[in-house]
């Protein structure tokens, strides 16, 4: 229902053309279906071990807060994405790092278990080529990523462990400064990267993993772009020119990102102010721990969350605001430097882009704005695959013996 209403709204600018052709409404949807699409930031792993819940089943977005599952990925033609190993931040102490390291390892294993359990429908991808091959076999693509490098502790050695476990995209920091970098939403401690953060960039390049600068401070972003031997991504970010918030990237930095070959994956968050009152925050915390709740308790959290969405939405943004932001980013950076990371299951989702099944609306609106199939292919996956390939090529070049 939602999706049909969405398509109708996105089609509004095309009404005149469509009126002449009775079969036309199917065409724009087909345009989305034929694309290879990836989302660079999926927080769905938070749901993978919920008692009585399965990622393989269809869940009703009107009754449950989960924004993604395998059947709805098919509805929205989302061919795959990066499942994040997110670790909330604790104290920057040996004990804090040890506890976070264990939590991150658990989360990594939970993603692997999901991929193994549904291996008939989704495959683990460790390279751009593997992703393309899975897509060619009509299988969904499951990459792994890290949000917040805090669990690595006081050394960068653990990066290679995660690399061996399939992680290919790593975010340096989250909402608070950590041992590697300043956060965009904290007071400067390192003025960008710490000395350990500079080691982190070197190790990321050596291992062929892509740097994710979402959540990093402006100075940390500048230093990562300057130091990294390969282009970087922002897996779920927006435009500061459109909505002034430190989580969003300003136009000057967006141009710098594009000039360095990187890409900004446009998100549904920070298109407007967040309404995070005490009750919502408590619910958010509970939702992060859904795996510890009984099905009945999960239902209570979901029902309260969805009721709040009606009375005091987390974001008051509209689909029109989302498109205005996206079109601005494409205009400034160019279609070669834009990608998608909605932040589903991590606080993203707005009216009109409420869950993964609404994604065709974006393609319809971009088609209506005049973007070509080639532009759409780059934005939906081509740019991310190019950046993954560049990171991998750099690692191979560094591993090769020096010419005599
Ligand atoms: Zn995030």
């Amino acid at each position: 229902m939602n999706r049909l209403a969405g398509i109708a709204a996105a089609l509004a600018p095309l009404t005149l053309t469509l009126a002449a052709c009775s079969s036309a409404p199917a065409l724009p949807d087909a345009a989305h279906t034929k694309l290879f699409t990836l989302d660079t930031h999926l927080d769905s792993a938070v749901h993978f071990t919920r008692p009585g819940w399965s990622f393989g089943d269809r869940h009703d977005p009107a009754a449950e807060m989960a924004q993604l599952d395998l059947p709805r990925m098919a509805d929205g033609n989302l061919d795959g994405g990066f499942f994040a190993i997110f670790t909330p931040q604790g104290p920057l102490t040996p004990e804090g790092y040890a506890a976070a390291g264990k939590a991150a390892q658990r989360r990594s294993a939970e993603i692997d278990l999901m991929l193994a359990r549904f291996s008939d429908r989704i495959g683990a991808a460790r390279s751009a080529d593997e992703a393309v091959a899975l897509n060619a076999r009509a299988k969904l693509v499951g990459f792994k990523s890290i949000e917040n490098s805090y669990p690595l502790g006081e050394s960068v050695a653990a990066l290679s462990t995660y690399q061996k476990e399939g992680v290919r995209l790593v975010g340096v920091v989250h909402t608070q400064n950590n041992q590697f970098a300043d956060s965009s939403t904290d007071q400067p401690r390192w003025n960008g990267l710490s000395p350990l953060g500079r080691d982190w960039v070197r190790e990321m390049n050596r291992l062929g993993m892509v740097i994710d600068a979402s959540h990093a401070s402006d100075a940390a972003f500048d230093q990562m772009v300057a130091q990294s031997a390969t282009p970087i991504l922002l897996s779920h970010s927006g435009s500061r020119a459109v909505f002034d918030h430190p989580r969003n990237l300003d136009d000057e930095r967006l141009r710098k990102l594009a000039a360095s070959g990187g890409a900004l994956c446009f998100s549904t968050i920070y298109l407007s102010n967040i309404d995070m009152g005490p009750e919502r925050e408590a619910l958010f915390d509970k939702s992060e721990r859904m795996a510890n709740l009984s099905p009945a308790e999960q239902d209570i959290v979901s029902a309260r969350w969805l009721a709040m969405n009606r009375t005091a939405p987390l974001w008051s943004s509209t689909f029109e605001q989302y498109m205005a932001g996206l079109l601005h980013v494409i205009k400034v950076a160019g279609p070669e430097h834009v990608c998608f990371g909605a932040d589903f299951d991590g606080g993203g989702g707005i009216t009109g882009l409420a869950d993964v099944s609404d994604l065709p609306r974006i393609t319809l609106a971009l088609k209506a704005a005049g973007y070509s199939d080639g532009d759409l292919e780059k934005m939906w996956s081509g740019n991310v695959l190019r950046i993954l390939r560049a990171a991998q090529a750099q690692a191979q070049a560094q591993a090769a013996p020096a010419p005599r």
Side-chain angles (χ1 to χ4, degrees):
M1 196 55 209
N2 216 356
R3 187 179 165 211
L4 292 177
I7 288 169
L11 282 173
L14 296 175
T15 307
L16 282 177
T17 350
L18 293 178
C21 177
S22 61
S23 64
L27 281 176
D29 201 7
H32 182 75
T33 303
K34 74 180 181 193
L35 293 166
F36 178 24
T37 61
L38 293 171
D39 181 297
T40 45
H41 192 72
L42 302 170
D43 275 313
S44 311
V46 71
H47 299 302
F48 290 166
T49 53
R50 282 170 57 178
W53 195 93
S54 171
F55 193 58
D57 294 345
R58 180 185 300 279
H59 303 274
D60 179 1
E64 269 196 65
M65 53 188 296
Q67 292 168 302
L68 202 76
D69 50 50
L70 294 174
R72 278 185 288 163
M73 284 176 79
D75 293 351
N77 186 44
L78 182 65
D79 294 313
F82 290 75
F83 292 98
I85 301 165
F86 164 66
T87 318
Q89 194 150 315
L92 305 183
T93 60
E95 297 75 26
Y97 296 138
K102 277 187 192 145
Q105 276 296 304
R106 222 173 14 247
R107 184 50 55 86
S108 178
E110 286 165 7
I111 298 170
D112 292 341
L113 274 173
M114 181 280 287
L115 294 171
R117 185 170 168 207
F118 301 110
S119 59
D120 54 332
R121 287 188 268 175
I122 184 166
R126 289 166 178 248
S127 67
D129 287 351
E130 284 183 13
V132 170
L134 283 164
N135 188 246
R137 283 166 29 219
K139 274 217 186 163
L140 297 172
V141 175
F143 277 110
K144 284 164 75 178
S145 63
I146 285 176
E147 179 172 40
N148 198 3
S149 286
Y150 164 66
L152 301 176
E154 291 279 9
S155 119
V156 296
L159 275 176
S160 70
T161 306
Y162 286 101
Q163 197 267 357
K164 287 187 191 93
E165 290 173 6
V167 171
R168 291 295 176 267
L169 172 69
V170 184
V172 68
V173 71
H174 192 236
T175 54
Q176 293 169 275
N177 300 340
N178 66 14
Q179 66 273 38
F180 300 105
D182 288 342
S183 167
S184 61
T185 44
D186 202 346
Q187 296 304 313
R189 175 186 174 191
W190 306 108
N191 292 315
L193 295 171
S194 71
L196 189 63
R198 294 186 176 280
D199 291 347
W200 181 95
V201 173
R202 256 189 302 279
E203 185 67 355
M204 287 289 291
N205 287 163
R206 189 185 72 82
L207 293 168
M209 299 205 281
V210 175
I211 290 172
D212 180 358
S214 279
H215 286 289
S217 71
D218 287 346
F221 167 88
D222 292 341
Q223 291 161 23
M224 286 190 283
V225 170
Q227 194 193 331
S228 177
T230 69
I232 73 170
L233 276 181
L234 284 83
S235 70
H236 57 304
S237 287
S239 160
R240 204 176 296 175
V242 174
F243 183 71
D244 189 8
H245 190 279
R247 266 291 274 116
N248 292 335
L249 199 66
D250 64 52
D251 282 357
E252 196 188 323
R253 287 190 170 81
L254 189 52
R255 284 187 205 100
K256 187 156 63 164
L257 178 74
S260 67
L264 183 148
C265 304
F266 197 70
S267 165
T268 58
I269 64 171
Y270 293 109
L271 296 158
S272 62
N273 273 318
I274 189 166
D275 184 358
M276 183 68 92
E279 187 184 357
R280 180 71 84 162
E281 198 158 1
L283 273 174
F284 215 109
D285 283 350
K286 272 192 186 164
S287 75
E288 289 285 330
R289 295 177 183 78
M290 287 285 241
N292 301 331
L293 304 180
S294 70
E297 289 166 328
Q298 294 172 36
D299 287 348
I300 292 169
V301 174
S302 268
R304 191 60 208 133
W305 180 275
L306 294 165
M308 279 197 86
N309 284 356
R310 290 187 285 276
T311 54
L314 191 60
W315 309 106
S316 53
S317 332
T318 61
F319 181 72
E320 288 66 34
Q321 278 171 299
Y322 172 89
M323 282 310 303
L326 174 61
L327 290 170
H328 177 80
V329 167
I330 300 172
K331 196 179 83 191
V332 173
E336 288 77 22
H337 305 285
V338 177
C339 39
F340 295 100
D343 206 3
F344 284 138
D345 291 335
I350 55 170
T351 305
L353 273 179
D355 77 344
V356 70
S357 52
D358 286 330
L359 292 180
R361 291 193 76 183
I362 301 170
T363 296
L364 299 187
L366 288 175
K367 293 280 280 182
Y371 287 97
S372 69
D373 290 352
D375 292 334
L376 286 163
E377 193 66 49
K378 282 181 206 158
M379 291 191 270
W380 273 113
S381 62
N383 296 329
V384 172
L385 296 174
R386 167 177 60 77
I387 290 167
L388 276 166
R389 287 196 170 101
Q392 200 178 6
Q394 169 67 23
Q396 280 161 357
Q398 281 186 236
R404 284 167 179 265

